[in-house]
Amino acid sequence: MNDLDFLRTPEGRALLDEVRGTDPAQELAVATRLRRTHPAPLVSAALGQARLRQRAVAKFGAADAGRMFFTPNGVEQSTRASVAAYRAERLHGLGVRSVADLCCGIGGDAIALARAGIRVLAVDRSPLTCEAARANADALGLAALIEVREADVTEVDTTPYDAVFVDPARRGGRGRIFDPEAYSPPLSWAVAAARTASRAAALKVAPGIPHEAVPADAEAEWISDGGDVKEAVLWFGAGAAPGAVRATLLPGPRTLPGTGLPDPEARTPGRYLYEPDGAVVRAHLVAEVAAQVGGGLLDATIAYVTADELLPTPYATAYEITDRMPFNVKKLKALLRERGVGTLTVKKRGSAVEPEELRKKVRPQGPNAATVFLTRVAGAPTMLIGHPAR
């Protein structure tokens, strides 16, 4: 009996309930106590699953993570629930009622699709991963909408389904894979599969995908959640605008479409600095933000926008700049001491200096807070000091 088989039995579920929320510092003591009444491998399995559930809370929320079953890779590679739900709602809005979810992993995307009322065929070639996906569909009451199939995705007939969703593996034995053709399956195969979908298709890819690797007949969307860039999605078929790009920010959603604006010109720093959301930067839509706030770039090669007025935009965070100086640690330390700054936020674009190293060198002390931007202005290393605009 493997770990998941056992953990789904009444004894296994009881053991999971007993170790729920175990403090890592107390894990050895808990394991020692439980091994008096349970086989050691089963205790280890329960404690391991408890650790995975704790890690999964950030992606799935406490309620779902506390009922789901995970593998280490499954936690690492799963889509955040809020992002999966956004994608599922977009597909549902396009009239999609059935999806072939290829490379389904532990079922995170299948769960979101099913909750949107979409019937799902979830396919993966890993027996353990498929078992986890089935367990999760059952645990969340979605088994009637999710069929899990252990198979090679390249051999699955997707024609009976309205849409295709593909999430190729982007990690190998040496870590992340950056070449889309080294994905498993390769991006070219996923694109071909998407083009056969009767209604729509979505391909999840790394947010760092080169724009030139995006097929001409796809719409590319970069998605961030809470300011963190999570993924890019290539959309095909219904509702997709071939060649278009967009940045979507969650929660919201708020979507900034590309309008084809040329890169804004660099200009003298103004009173305000705008830090575009990472999805905006990845989508190459900094020009659209600059147009919204009437600004320009601090430097032609840096994605910071500067302007003289405060014009709030949901696609960038605004800071009021109080000081500007060439990069000089001693002068920064003296300025922070003079201002009584003890809480220092360090942001950087175009600088090789590590924020933590800078904090150690300036040793901020005092009751006040400030933000320092390490960047370039007209090609010169520069420090801009300020605070979030109000």
Side-chain angles (χ1 to χ4, degrees):
M1 179 181 292
N2 65 37
D3 291 353
L4 288 182
D5 278 342
F6 163 70
L7 293 175
R8 296 179 68 191
T9 66
E11 182 186 2
R13 291 180 186 276
L15 197 53
L16 278 173
D17 288 339
E18 194 163 354
V19 300
R20 185 188 304 272
T22 298
D23 186 322
Q26 299 299 316
E27 197 170 281
L28 179 59
V30 170
T32 301
R33 173 174 58 80
L34 291 175
R35 284 169 182 160
R36 298 180 186 128
T37 53
H38 299 278
L42 304 186
V43 173
S44 296
L47 285 168
Q49 192 61 219
R51 286 194 299 272
L52 293 175
R53 286 179 168 184
Q54 289 171 7
R55 285 172 52 195
V57 168
K59 285 189 174 182
F60 291 92
D64 281 354
R67 292 185 290 166
M68 291 173 67
F69 296 88
F70 299 97
T71 64
N73 285 341
V75 173
E76 183 70 27
Q77 298 174 13
S78 290
T79 304
R80 185 178 290 233
S82 55
V83 178
Y86 163 75
R87 261 197 277 97
E89 288 300 329
R90 180 170 174 178
L91 285 168
H92 186 270
L94 295 173
V96 169
R97 296 299 177 266
S98 61
V99 171
D101 176 5
L102 308 181
C103 309
C104 69
I106 62 166
D109 289 289
I111 289 166
L113 290 164
R115 282 176 167 167
I118 297 172
R119 181 170 56 86
V120 186
L121 170 66
V123 184
D124 203 282
R125 66 184 179 185
S126 164
L128 180 60
T129 297
C130 286
E131 186 178 353
R134 288 191 193 95
N136 290 332
D138 182 61
L140 299 179
L142 299 168
L145 283 171
I146 300 175
E147 174 194 348
V148 180
R149 184 182 302 174
E150 180 189 333
D152 184 330
V153 297
T154 64
E155 299 174 358
V156 174
D157 179 12
T158 62
T159 54
Y161 299 86
D162 296 339
V164 171
F165 173 68
V166 189
D167 181 7
R170 295 178 298 282
R171 285 183 179 272
R174 297 183 179 180
R176 291 182 180 177
I177 297 171
F178 297 99
D179 177 8
E181 283 306 296
Y183 292 174
S184 179
L187 179 61
S188 56
W189 180 90
V191 169
R195 289 173 176 154
T196 66
S198 62
R199 185 162 190 81
L203 310 183
K204 177 181 172 181
V205 295
I209 185 172
H211 280 233
E212 57 270 22
V214 176
D217 56 338
E219 174 188 305
E221 179 179 32
W222 279 262
I223 302 174
S224 68
D225 186 23
D228 295 329
V229 184
K230 293 301 177 185
E231 65 182 53
V233 185
L234 307 184
W235 294 92
F236 296 80
V245 296
R246 62 163 71 186
T248 295
L249 282 56
L250 302 175
R254 297 178 182 272
T255 296
L256 178 67
T259 57
L261 291 176
D263 291 340
E265 294 184 359
R267 51 152 288 178
T268 303
R271 181 176 177 182
Y272 297 97
L273 180 150
Y274 292 84
E275 180 184 27
D277 183 272
V280 171
V281 176
R282 294 283 194 178
H284 295 181
L285 299 180
V286 174
E288 278 71 7
V289 169
Q292 287 185 358
V293 302
L297 296 179
L298 279 176
D299 184 277
T301 62
I302 305 295
Y304 281 140
V305 174
T306 185
D308 298 316
E309 293 184 75
L310 178 60
L311 296 173
T313 170
Y315 304 109
T317 303
Y319 295 84
E320 184 173 7
I321 300 303
T322 56
D323 299 272
R324 169 190 171 189
M325 63 179 69
F327 181 81
N328 186 301
V329 175
K330 289 184 178 180
K331 288 184 177 180
L332 176 63
K333 184 175 181 179
L335 176 67
L336 297 177
R337 186 186 303 116
E338 177 186 327
R339 303 279 170 82
V341 172
T343 303
L344 182 66
T345 300
V346 182
K347 293 178 172 286
K348 70 166 192 168
R349 282 183 181 167
S351 172
V353 178
E354 291 301 324
E356 198 51 47
E357 278 300 310
L358 183 66
R359 284 194 197 89
K360 289 179 181 178
K361 289 179 179 179
V362 299
R363 293 186 298 225
Q365 295 180 14
N368 300 320
T371 301
V372 59
F373 293 87
L374 307 178
T375 186
R376 294 196 300 269
V377 174
T382 302
M383 297 186 297
L384 300 174
I385 299 91
H387 53 77
R390 292 181 283 274

